[in-house]
Amino acid sequence: MLVRDLTEGQDLDQVLLVRACELRTRRGGARLLKLSLADRTGQLTAIARDSVEELRELCQTGRAVRVTGRYEGHPRYGAQLELREVTEAVPGSFA
């Protein structure tokens, strides 16, 4: 599945490139990680709410990571990927 072909409500499990990683703190003090992920066809915003510190170390700019989650439209922020899991991409699992 290519990023440009994603539709709302679709589950995703694939390797993407980290373009940017930003740690954010919400008003209530909860931390989240906002990622910009991409493939050769485009990029998308992804949000991680769990294990933020560990994911921050893994999601370095320029690194390929395997992500699983659901691509959904947020009423305020638009389409984004709600991350369930992020792991290191296995060498050879991406081009």
Side-chain angles (χ1 to χ4, degrees):
M1 175 62 53
L2 300 173
V3 168
R4 72 172 174 221
D5 297 330
L6 291 173
T7 59
E8 189 169 338
Q10 186 170 16
D11 286 325
L12 182 70
D13 179 0
Q14 72 184 59
V15 175
L16 295 171
L17 181 69
V18 177
R19 300 284 229 146
C21 177
E22 182 180 350
L23 181 63
R24 293 198 168 181
T25 304
R26 298 179 58 152
R27 286 185 212 133
R31 300 181 102 183
L32 63 85
L33 205 58
K34 180 179 178 184
L35 301 170
S36 177
L37 302 173
D39 68 6
R40 66 182 179 274
T41 66
Q43 70 182 39
L44 60 88
T45 298
I47 303 296
R49 297 181 189 337
D50 299 323
S51 304
V52 171
E53 290 301 326
E54 294 84 16
L55 291 179
R56 185 176 182 198
E57 290 181 30
L58 175 64
C59 296
Q60 299 296 315
T61 301
R63 180 179 277 176
V65 293
R66 175 169 291 285
V67 297
T68 60
R70 181 173 288 256
Y71 189 69
E72 297 179 333
H74 187 280
R76 184 172 177 187
Y77 303 112
Q80 59 188 22
L81 181 64
E82 276 295 323
L83 292 170
R84 287 187 207 117
E85 185 177 22
V86 179
T87 56
E88 189 171 347
V90 176
S93 65
F94 57 93

